Amino acid sequence: FTLSLFALLTVAGVFRLRWREPGLERPYRVPLYPLPPLAFLSVTGASLLVVGWERPLPLLAAGGLLALGGLLLRRSRAV
């Protein structure tokens, strides 16, 4: 679950980067952009929903670990 979640966030980051840095040089071109990343986000998001619906306990465990990691990261940056 977490591997798919982070893959989804990574590909979503492409859209964020293109929005925040429109003048940045793009060494790679994606044919038919933005369709391939949108298709990936759709399929991955749907699979995450199915996994969460079918097996909520691992989803909650992964979410709890990610939340704990986020809290520890914030705390370490505050010091």
Side-chain angles (χ1 to χ4, degrees):
F1 178 83
T2 53
L3 180 62
S4 295
L5 176 64
F6 281 106
L8 180 124
L9 293 173
T10 300
V11 173
V14 169
F15 290 106
R16 183 171 187 239
L17 178 65
R18 286 183 175 246
W19 180 69
R20 292 185 73 181
E21 300 286 341
L24 197 62
E25 182 182 342
R26 312 282 182 220
Y28 300 103
R29 293 226 173 260
V30 177
L32 302 175
Y33 180 82
L35 295 179
L38 285 175
F40 179 83
L41 292 175
S42 299
V43 171
T44 304
S47 69
L48 288 173
L49 289 174
V50 169
V51 168
W53 183 261
E54 295 292 323
R55 300 181 61 190
L57 190 58
L59 171 83
L60 293 173
L65 284 173
L66 290 173
L68 179 63
L71 288 173
L72 291 174
L73 179 66
R74 278 191 169 196
R75 185 172 181 197
S76 70
R77 287 185 176 177
V79 172

